[in-house]
Amino acid sequence: MSTVTVTITVRPAVCRGPPGAPRTAFVLAGGAALGAMQAGMVHALYERGIVPDLLAGTSAGALNAAFLASRAADGGHRR
């Protein structure tokens, strides 16, 4: 029998605002159909002024979260 060791490094999230303030997170699921739907959902949330402080995702959701994070870093979305 062999043993496999996995090491996971977790970095603390950097959020805007004072400590203890409410945060908004978008947690995006995986799957091609959900990934395609997420673009419209996120656009509608941004139109209503709901902007995330944190992004997380799995598979297609992770790709969408990375895209949103890069757009936010470039000033693509305003709060």
Side-chain angles (χ1 to χ4, degrees):
M1 181 190 285
S2 61
T3 302
V4 176
T5 303
V6 177
T7 303
I8 300 173
T9 303
V10 178
R11 293 183 214 142
V14 178
C15 296
R16 299 178 297 262
R23 307 279 189 238
T24 301
F26 289 177
V27 180
L28 308 175
L34 286 175
M37 179 271 311
Q38 289 164 356
M41 180 226 30
V42 168
H43 180 72
L45 291 170
Y46 273 105
E47 281 184 338
R48 288 162 180 76
I50 302 171
V51 180
D53 295 304
L54 303 170
L55 294 164
T58 302
S59 190
L63 293 174
N64 285 337
F67 175 72
L68 290 171
S70 69
R71 292 281 311 268
D74 294 340
H77 292 291
R78 289 171 278 163
R79 186 161 191 123

